[in-house]
Amino acid sequence: MQYTLSQQWDNFKKENEQEMMREGIVDIDELIEESLMEEYEEYQKQEQEELEDTIASYEQASLICVHCHKDTLIYTSQNMLSCPTCGFYATEICLQAILNAINQHSNQCQGRVEFSLEPGTTSTMFANCDICDLWDMFYM
């Protein structure tokens, strides 16, 4: 199989040698390698941008109070984060679960996840997206 592919490739280069010369292509193998490197570098750049966007989403989600959206969450004792404005609180584990949900959601949907406390409680939070109808529940 490898021999057949190699032979076909050599035949292709011989058959198209004149056309490649007119196009200024001296070494097609080098041209293909350069093209593949450019594609790989572009892929890496896109991956880096996506990673930076995800990190920015994490930072925003982990800092802004998910209840009142008016202040940043402050780390307190016993692995808790709380909002000085509205008194909202959550454990680091709960916030990590929220961040994981946001990350998974962002892989499938461009919508923004909104959070709210379950009416009548101070320890159950809902997450939902109005674009994809994501719905999740977190216990603080």
Side-chain angles (χ1 to χ4, degrees):
M1 177 81 161
Q2 182 67 25
Y3 175 76
T4 303
L5 290 175
S6 178
Q7 188 177 21
Q8 288 176 348
W9 180 245
D10 289 338
N11 288 340
F12 173 81
K13 288 194 295 188
K14 285 178 188 174
E15 291 171 3
N16 296 287
E17 186 174 21
Q18 293 295 325
E19 184 64 31
M20 288 187 294
M21 292 269 193
R22 275 186 255 144
E23 294 287 327
I25 301 170
V26 178
D27 185 359
I28 192 161
D29 292 326
E30 184 179 323
L31 180 68
I32 290 172
E33 185 176 326
E34 287 174 9
S35 176
L36 290 173
M37 285 302 290
E38 288 173 8
E39 285 181 33
Y40 179 71
E41 288 169 1
E42 182 63 29
Y43 170 78
Q44 283 184 319
K45 181 180 174 185
Q46 289 175 349
E47 287 290 311
Q48 182 64 31
E49 288 172 0
E50 287 178 17
L51 177 61
E52 289 170 2
D53 289 345
T54 300
I55 289 170
S57 295
Y58 277 176
E59 289 172 351
Q60 181 180 8
S62 65
L63 294 177
I64 302 298
C65 177
V66 296
H67 180 249
C68 71
H69 303 282
K70 294 180 181 177
D71 212 339
T72 57
L73 296 175
I74 298 171
Y75 182 78
T76 62
S77 61
Q78 301 174 0
N79 296 330
M80 297 290 286
L81 292 137
S82 68
C83 176
T85 301
C86 71
F88 169 80
Y89 65 93
T91 64
E92 285 184 13
I93 293 170
C94 178
L95 286 176
Q96 186 60 45
I98 291 169
L99 295 176
N100 289 339
I102 290 171
N103 185 36
Q104 289 176 354
H105 176 261
S106 68
N107 289 335
Q108 301 169 1
C109 177
Q110 296 297 316
R112 182 181 168 112
V113 178
E114 294 291 327
F115 298 93
S116 61
L117 288 175
E118 179 181 17
T121 72
T122 59
S123 61
T124 305
M125 187 173 5
F126 288 113
N128 56 346
C129 173
D130 60 354
I131 292 177
C132 70
D133 294 328
L134 163 85
W135 185 90
D136 209 343
M137 186 181 292
F138 301 95
Y139 300 99
M140 299 176 285

